[in-house]
Amino acid sequence: MGSSSTCDAAGLALGLGFSSTANQKSRKEEAAAKKIDLGFDPSLNLSLSGDHQICDLNMENKVNFSSNKDQLSAASSYSNASIKRERDIGSEVTMVERVISARVISDEDDCDYDDASNGRKKLRLTKLQSALLEESFKQQSTLNPKQKQHLARKLNVRPRQVEVWFQNRRARTKLKQTEVDCELLKKCCETLTDENRKLYKELQELKALKVGQPLYMQLPAAATLTVCPSCERVAGAGAGQNSSKPPLLYGSFTNSSAAC
DNA sequence: TGAGTATCATCTCTTACCTCA
DNA sequence: TGTGAGGTAAGAGATGATACT
């Protein structure tokens, strides 16, 4: 985002410092600005996003450049170190450097692309990078700018990538938690439904008893209904009949000292 | 002191790419 | 080899907090 970062990993690796004054408000302007004019032959003007080149380099993926003029294609696996090492080898490397320089001048933050011509590149984090990010996330689910910078440098990715990763990770965590909560509520609902069914059944039985005979005659030897010793109300279908209080409905307390 | 504005971090939804069965 | 599903990096817009005028 409109970060306050001063450089990204690639920039550091190449000893190229730069500053960003980008902010969220001017996002679209940024995006426009990120269409890189490499500053040489106009007909060679690449519409590739510099970000992509940086990203690819960081991930040690293939670096592909192409132009209308000479169809330059550098499909090599460059690490940041190897770029420097190969600095003087040939034009392809020079090209790499120029793209990086252009990128550095423009902005370090977003890995934009020219939708029309290139499409979005998917940058997979390595297992090690993911593991380190995961480890950091366990300690803290949010990062302050300094931590973000530090982690980005450590992982050799852009701060923006770290930021996005944490964002997505938080979203995943939240989603999982929601699923867990949902399951819990389902179970809770099932339990309550079950209990409600039992109570309803019991109520029906008690009602049936009440209709048939006086309560005292219906009580079996091992009565499941009794008088509450503390409030002296009868627990059962007939309970509360002579009072304004609602009837108590004890599941199955026996003639004990159980209180309300 | 409250209103308006800018900036920033984060969230949420969505898209696009990649991997794998 | 083609294809669909699932995972995930990243884009875009919304929102809330804070600082400044």
Side-chain angles (χ1 to χ4, degrees):
Chain A
M1 207 108 323
S3 78
S4 55
S5 57
T6 52
C7 56
D8 70 7
L12 277 174
L14 292 167
L16 298 166
F18 52 86
S19 62
S20 168
T21 55
N23 57 53
Q24 195 178 28
K25 196 80 179 176
S26 55
R27 222 186 180 119
K28 300 217 164 145
E29 294 166 19
E30 285 175 45
K34 279 175 203 151
K35 283 198 171 184
I36 296 168
D37 180 354
L38 291 173
F40 39 88
D41 188 339
S43 64
L44 206 61
N45 189 6
L46 303 181
S47 60
L48 286 169
S49 156
D51 286 305
H52 271 125
Q53 311 318 324
I54 294 291
C55 296
D56 287 353
L57 289 167
N58 284 339
M59 304 306 297
E60 298 195 10
N61 286 341
K62 298 205 175 213
V63 180
N64 289 294
F65 302 115
S66 61
S67 70
N68 295 333
K69 196 170 185 178
D70 55 11
Q71 291 294 314
L72 173 63
S73 175
S76 309
S77 188
Y78 289 107
S79 67
N80 291 322
S82 66
I83 292 170
K84 212 163 177 83
R85 194 170 58 245
E86 294 174 24
R87 182 177 291 266
D88 299 316
I89 292 180
S91 60
E92 290 186 3
V93 176
T94 305
M95 182 72 163
V96 170
E97 286 187 26
R98 293 181 90 153
V99 171
I100 289 170
S101 298
R103 169 71 188 91
V104 163
I105 288 162
S106 66
D107 180 41
E108 91 291 4
D109 220 352
D110 298 322
C111 195
D112 280 327
Y113 57 93
D114 184 343
D115 267 327
S117 57
N118 296 299
R120 198 194 290 179
K121 277 265 196 285
K122 190 81 174 187
L123 304 162
R124 304 295 293 201
L125 296 167
T126 64
K127 281 185 180 177
L128 183 64
Q129 285 170 326
S130 295
L132 277 169
L133 285 163
E134 199 65 53
E135 196 56 42
S136 303
F137 187 81
K138 274 182 194 167
Q139 292 165 18
Q140 256 181 306
S141 63
T142 52
L143 298 174
N144 63 37
K146 267 196 171 181
Q147 291 171 317
K148 196 200 305 175
Q149 283 285 341
H150 179 72
L151 194 54
R153 220 166 291 170
K154 198 170 161 187
L155 298 171
N156 198 26
V157 298
R158 288 170 305 116
R160 170 66 180 157
Q161 283 177 280
V162 173
E163 183 181 301
V164 166
W165 189 91
F166 268 74
Q167 229 168 64
N168 286 318
R169 187 65 180 75
R170 282 192 292 270
R172 282 197 291 275
T173 301
K174 192 175 180 182
L175 187 66
K176 270 193 177 173
Q177 188 55 51
T178 303
E179 284 171 6
V180 167
D181 289 347
C182 189
E183 278 304 308
L184 213 65
L185 284 172
K186 262 188 194 171
K187 278 185 181 162
C188 196
C189 182
E190 278 170 18
T191 306
L192 286 171
T193 303
D194 202 42
E195 188 148 342
N196 188 43
R197 200 175 296 127
K198 278 180 190 167
L199 288 171
Y200 183 76
K201 197 180 165 189
E202 199 167 335
L203 179 64
Q204 294 304 310
E205 285 170 8
L206 290 169
K207 274 183 179 171
L209 284 176
K210 178 197 166 192
V211 168
Q213 294 170 2
L215 184 63
Y216 67 88
M217 291 183 69
Q218 294 174 20
L219 293 173
T224 57
L225 301 172
T226 186
V227 175
C228 173
S230 94
C231 68
E232 297 187 341
R233 278 193 287 159
V234 175
Q241 217 167 20
N242 297 324
S243 92
S244 57
K245 289 184 181 177
L248 294 173
L249 191 60
Y250 295 108
S252 61
F253 79 76
T254 55
N255 198 2
S256 69
S257 60
C260 290

